[in-house]
Amino acid sequence: GKKLGYTFNNRNLHNVSLGQGQEVVAEQALDLAAKEGHWVILQNIHLVAKWLSSLEKKLEQHGEGSHQDFRVFISAEPAPSPDSHIIPQGILENSIKITNEAPTGMHANLHKALDNFSQDTLEMCTRENEFKSILFALCYFHAVVAERRKFGPQGWNRPYPFNTGDLTISVNVLYNYLEASSKVPYDDLRYLFGEIMYGGHITDDWDRRLCKTYLEEFIKPEMLEGELLLAPGFPLPGNMDYNGYHQQYIDDALPPESPYLYGLHPNAEIGFLTQTSEKLFRIMLEMQPRDTSMGEGGAVTREETVKALLEEMLEKLMDEFNIAELMAKVEERTPYVVVAFQECERMNVLTGEIKRSLKELDLGLKGELTMTSDMENLQNALFLDTVPESWIKRAYPSTASLGTWFADLLARIKELEAWTGDFSLPSTVWLAGFFNPQSFLTAIMQSTARKNEWPLDKMTLQCDVTKKNREDFASPPREGAYVHGLFMEGARWDAQTGIITDARLKELTPAMPVIFIKAIPADKQDTRSVYPCPLYKTRQRGPTYVWTFNLKTRENPSKWVLAGVALLLQI
């Protein structure tokens, strides 16, 4: 018959990688192993969710009367979310669970990266000095990109599954290229590492720029001249043996853990820890009992709290915008007027849903309507101070709590009312107040293009940061627009010198002065000594990207790329 196992450490071992119809083989292996006292390894059980109930029954069947040496080892990838947990409770309760946690901190990550190699690896290339230098730089790069995830969106816009395979294949490519070339092909190596090996995981253009910048800083000709700093106070090591890198260099020379090791400002850690704490407290709040009474002695009940909030919201919400009436008083549908109409229409959809759902819940609380799951979800959201799901779907990206979100909504409505009063452009525009800020920025280009008869596809926006605040402006500019309400994360704007500079400690998102935005021909754009800075709607970054503004800098723009510097519309 077909032999299912093989001898391993004087013990028969049956190793089954699940998926592709291997469930029958696994069951045969379990039956044989239980009888003979063998070991069974079942790999990747997350790939066979439907079979897991059969596995649970099989293990329960062999739990009694099987050979005393019978053992089963099961491996699975971690579930991406609590909803994706598929391993049956019976298997979990009756097993010893071991998790392979990723290392935390630069020290552990750098050791872990170097552990993938040996003294033989360091000696295998004929160009030993170049090979060792670039290999260590790659290990540091791998540790940085893996650990940078902990800083959230300021670290990476999206999380990526970088793994040791990316590092080991990169080192194999490095060996092949050094053996085949008379000169070190730095450009080729950076392209292969940044665009293919590691870049193959990356889906966001700004994250790709970050990955590319790290490699440009770590792998360049200066590394062989002893002049390269991987981080402040941590130069690239010289020629050492394997143990020397581990013990003498990483243990002794690596500075203490800090955001500086990743090119980030210490504020990045404050922001990350603050958000983690807020998330923890939010979860604790949601775990509180949801009984109707909040205490004794006539304390306010849950329903009374929700009803008071509900009535307050309905009272403060203004009437919907009368689009037909607004259109009647417009003489010319300029690009700005079109944007105003679009914003009014979207605001009507949102406020209409808010009123409808609140009135429905009010009737439910009075007993005039049967409470549905949607009404209960709305009630819970109001009580927990979170924005209800049905409102989020019709609104703009926001990370605010319900109280702050609703106050912001009223401010947006007020701003729209002022603008649609006579449809003249405000002296300074609150860019964060738009559902779609891109439409307003595009309108600036459209207006200038029509006025000067320039082709729209050959235009771009120029961003000049003024030294003034919103109150200092009484009228809009003749071309373009003044915008206010922007914040900077990762650095700050020095209004006196007119450049980006290092952030002050504990000032996580300093406000920007008013910015003058105007449209110019793309070929007239000055790209010298500027940092192309992404603008996002919220601190979540990623899909909330709006535009790119060139901000002046005296330092190398790569510093701000590594620091994750961005402009934000909301904080």
Side-chain angles (χ1 to χ4, degrees):
K2 182 179 179 182
K3 187 174 182 181
L4 296 170
Y6 55 86
T7 302
F8 178 77
N9 288 350
N10 299 321
R11 187 179 298 282
N12 279 331
L13 175 75
H14 307 277
N15 191 348
V16 183
S17 183
L18 291 161
Q20 298 181 337
Q22 292 296 301
E23 296 92 318
V24 175
V25 174
E27 289 183 5
Q28 292 173 350
L30 288 167
D31 291 339
L32 178 60
K35 182 180 178 182
E36 302 292 337
H38 298 169
W39 289 5
V40 179
I41 297 178
L42 301 177
Q43 298 183 51
N44 303 322
I45 64 165
H46 59 282
L47 299 177
V48 287
K50 292 181 180 177
W51 179 70
L52 292 181
S53 58
S54 301
L55 174 62
E56 183 180 14
K57 290 174 186 172
K58 181 70 72 174
L59 292 175
E60 190 177 337
Q61 174 190 331
H62 292 310
E64 294 180 7
S66 59
H67 195 285
Q68 63 177 8
D69 292 332
F70 171 54
R71 298 288 185 276
V72 179
F73 300 85
I74 298 173
S75 74
E77 290 286 330
S81 67
D83 299 336
S84 306
H85 291 166
I86 56 172
I87 300 176
Q89 194 72 20
I91 294 179
L92 290 173
E93 288 176 353
N94 293 311
S95 61
I96 298 171
K97 291 161 284 293
I98 301 172
T99 59
N100 184 16
E101 292 284 346
T104 56
M106 178 58 73
H107 187 274
N109 268 282
L110 194 48
H111 275 302
K112 182 84 172 177
L114 202 55
D115 282 343
N116 293 289
F117 310 105
S118 64
Q119 183 63 34
D120 292 340
T121 312
L122 299 183
E123 294 172 355
M124 71 182 188
C125 186
T126 53
R127 304 177 67 180
E128 187 178 320
N129 194 32
E130 293 94 330
F131 182 71
K132 284 183 175 180
S133 295
I134 299 177
L135 185 146
F136 191 89
L138 271 173
C139 287
Y140 191 85
F141 167 74
H142 178 81
V144 163
V145 298
E147 188 64 7
R148 191 179 166 105
R149 281 179 295 208
K150 74 179 181 183
F151 296 102
Q154 194 176 349
W156 293 103
N157 274 353
R158 294 176 171 84
Y160 300 109
F162 300 122
N163 55 65
T164 53
D166 301 322
L167 176 61
T168 53
I169 195 70
S170 294
V171 170
N172 288 337
V173 168
L174 169 64
Y175 167 76
N176 292 333
Y177 265 71
L178 289 183
E179 290 291 323
S181 309
S182 56
K183 291 183 178 179
V184 179
Y186 290 103
D187 291 340
D188 293 353
L189 291 172
R190 284 194 298 259
Y191 181 85
L192 288 165
F193 302 153
E195 299 288 343
I196 299 173
M197 308 310 173
Y198 286 85
H201 297 292
I202 297 174
T203 56
D204 183 277
D205 288 340
W206 297 103
D207 288 340
R208 192 172 297 280
R209 179 180 76 162
L210 173 62
C211 180
K212 180 182 174 185
T213 303
Y214 268 130
L215 289 166
E216 286 171 351
E217 292 296 305
F218 293 163
I219 300 176
K220 52 187 178 180
E222 291 88 329
M223 67 193 311
L224 302 179
E225 299 163 14
E227 300 174 2
L228 181 68
L229 285 176
L230 294 172
F234 190 59
L236 187 71
N239 197 330
M240 295 183 178
D241 64 8
Y242 184 72
N243 289 331
Y245 284 128
H246 264 304
Q247 295 163 10
Q248 293 167 276
Y249 208 74
I250 298 176
D251 287 344
D252 297 344
L254 185 67
E257 180 70 20
S258 84
Y260 286 126
L261 297 178
Y262 311 89
L264 290 158
H265 189 274
N267 283 349
E269 188 166 46
I270 297 173
F272 150 68
L273 293 173
T274 302
Q275 288 177 8
T276 304
S277 302
E278 288 174 352
K279 186 177 179 182
L280 174 63
F281 288 132
R282 169 66 59 191
I283 292 170
M284 290 172 65
L285 179 62
E286 290 173 356
M287 291 172 66
Q288 294 297 308
R290 296 183 179 179
D291 56 0
T292 55
S293 174
M294 295 298 292
E296 297 178 3
V300 179
T301 66
R302 181 189 182 92
E303 282 77 10
E304 287 170 344
T305 303
V306 170
K307 196 162 190 328
L309 182 60
L310 176 155
E311 289 171 352
E312 182 187 354
M313 284 182 165
L314 284 173
E315 184 183 332
K316 288 183 177 178
L317 272 177
M318 296 83 162
D319 293 332
E320 294 180 1
F321 291 97
N322 188 326
I323 304 295
E325 190 178 293
L326 291 175
M327 281 185 172
K329 64 180 185 180
V330 170
E331 295 177 7
E332 182 188 358
R333 286 174 70 94
T334 66
Y336 295 127
V337 169
V338 171
V339 170
F341 281 142
Q342 290 172 346
E343 291 293 314
C344 289
E345 286 169 355
R346 293 191 66 174
M347 187 60 77
N348 282 351
V349 170
L350 174 58
T351 55
E353 169 60 20
I354 293 173
K355 288 177 182 175
R356 183 204 66 77
S357 59
L358 289 177
K359 287 175 181 175
E360 184 183 63
L361 177 60
D362 189 31
L363 292 173
L365 292 175
K366 289 175 181 174
E368 296 176 19
L369 276 180
T370 304
M371 288 288 282
T372 64
S373 60
D374 287 343
M375 291 158 70
E376 287 178 2
N377 290 338
L378 175 60
Q379 182 183 2
N380 290 334
L382 294 178
F383 185 73
L384 294 171
D385 196 29
T386 60
V387 185
E389 193 64 37
S390 68
W391 301 4
I392 291 173
K393 287 178 182 175
R394 293 162 177 81
Y396 33 82
S398 176
T399 57
S401 60
L402 178 59
T404 309
W405 183 89
F406 191 73
D408 176 75
L409 172 71
L410 297 179
R412 288 167 183 259
I413 295 172
K414 189 177 178 183
E415 196 83 4
L416 260 181
E417 284 182 333
W419 189 11
T420 54
D422 58 2
F423 285 99
S424 61
L425 197 65
S427 53
T428 68
V429 177
W430 182 34
L431 194 60
F434 292 98
F435 281 84
N436 184 8
Q438 291 97 320
S439 65
F440 179 78
L441 296 173
T442 304
I444 294 176
M445 292 203 294
Q446 288 172 331
S447 296
T448 308
R450 290 181 186 181
K451 183 178 179 181
N452 299 319
E453 296 184 352
W454 292 343
L456 189 61
D457 61 342
K458 298 255 186 342
M459 295 179 66
T460 189
L461 290 181
Q462 179 176 297
C463 160
D464 294 324
V465 184
T466 70
K467 294 184 178 181
K468 299 178 181 178
N469 294 319
R470 178 186 181 184
E471 300 77 25
D472 302 324
F473 293 89
S475 61
R478 282 180 294 179
E479 276 192 1
Y482 295 122
V483 300
H484 70 272
L486 276 67
F487 304 87
M488 183 174 281
E489 185 175 41
R492 67 182 174 90
W493 183 260
D494 188 328
Q496 298 306 313
T497 55
I499 58 169
I500 306 175
T501 190
D502 288 317
R504 295 188 181 101
L505 194 62
K506 298 183 182 178
E507 287 186 11
L508 305 190
T509 49
M512 291 287 289
V514 169
I515 297 175
F516 175 37
I517 298 174
K518 65 178 180 179
I520 59 169
D523 57 4
K524 297 279 179 69
Q525 190 176 24
D526 186 4
T527 56
R528 296 168 300 170
S529 301
V530 296
Y531 164 62
C533 184
L535 170 66
Y536 298 99
K537 293 178 184 176
T538 73
R539 295 180 75 172
Q540 295 303 107
R541 302 195 179 195
T544 70
Y545 169 76
V546 176
W547 211 272
T548 304
F549 291 142
N550 287 337
L551 300 180
K552 291 178 181 176
T553 175
R554 284 184 193 153
E555 302 198 54
N556 192 323
S558 63
K559 173 178 178 175
W560 310 120
V561 174
L562 302 186
V565 175
L567 290 172
L568 306 174
L569 292 178
Q570 299 175 47
I571 54 172

